Amino acid sequence: RTSLPGTARIALGGVGRNIAEVIARFGGKVELLSAVGKDESGHAVLQGCRELGIQTDLVTSIASCRTATYTALLDGTGELVGAIADMAIFDEISCPSVDFATPSFSR
């Protein structure tokens, strides 16, 4: 086994965050319900959302979890060779926490 030279790129993402970004860029009011870790990635997600005008009051920061990441390995033509989806933090979002937040969405 060996490593190969390549290029790494980091971008903010996540389906919900990406949809929220599009709505915010079109001038819509957006409030995101999610969870991030109390780590550098979580801080970057929250800061990026705030810079776009996405409300993050309903995003929970969890010290004992890592912020979700998706790492894709692409070949030289851009085709997916493999990926790692570290999404365990989303197991921490419970039905009661969503129920608690629901009244916020009717504003």
Side-chain angles (χ1 to χ4, degrees):
R1 302 204 188 252
T2 187
S3 61
L4 300 172
T7 303
R9 184 176 70 90
I10 298 173
L12 297 179
V15 174
R17 196 220 62 89
N18 290 347
I19 292 169
E21 178 178 343
V22 171
I23 294 168
R25 288 187 184 279
F26 278 105
K29 182 179 179 222
V30 185
E31 198 162 357
L32 186 64
L33 170 65
S34 192
V36 297
K38 285 191 177 180
D39 52 24
E40 188 176 326
S41 296
H43 176 73
V45 169
L46 292 173
Q47 183 64 30
C49 286
R50 291 178 186 132
E51 288 173 3
L52 290 166
I54 299 168
Q55 296 296 312
T56 59
D57 296 341
L58 298 176
V59 178
T60 303
S61 293
I62 304 172
S64 61
C65 294
R66 293 178 307 279
T67 298
T69 60
Y70 176 81
T71 304
L73 178 61
L74 308 177
D75 68 15
T77 66
E79 290 295 317
L80 182 67
V81 174
I84 299 169
D86 182 359
M87 307 288 165
I89 193 169
F90 295 127
D91 293 337
E92 302 301 317
I93 300 175
S94 64
C95 289
S97 66
V98 173
D99 290 342
F100 175 79
T102 301
S104 298
F105 296 120
S106 63
R107 286 186 256 149

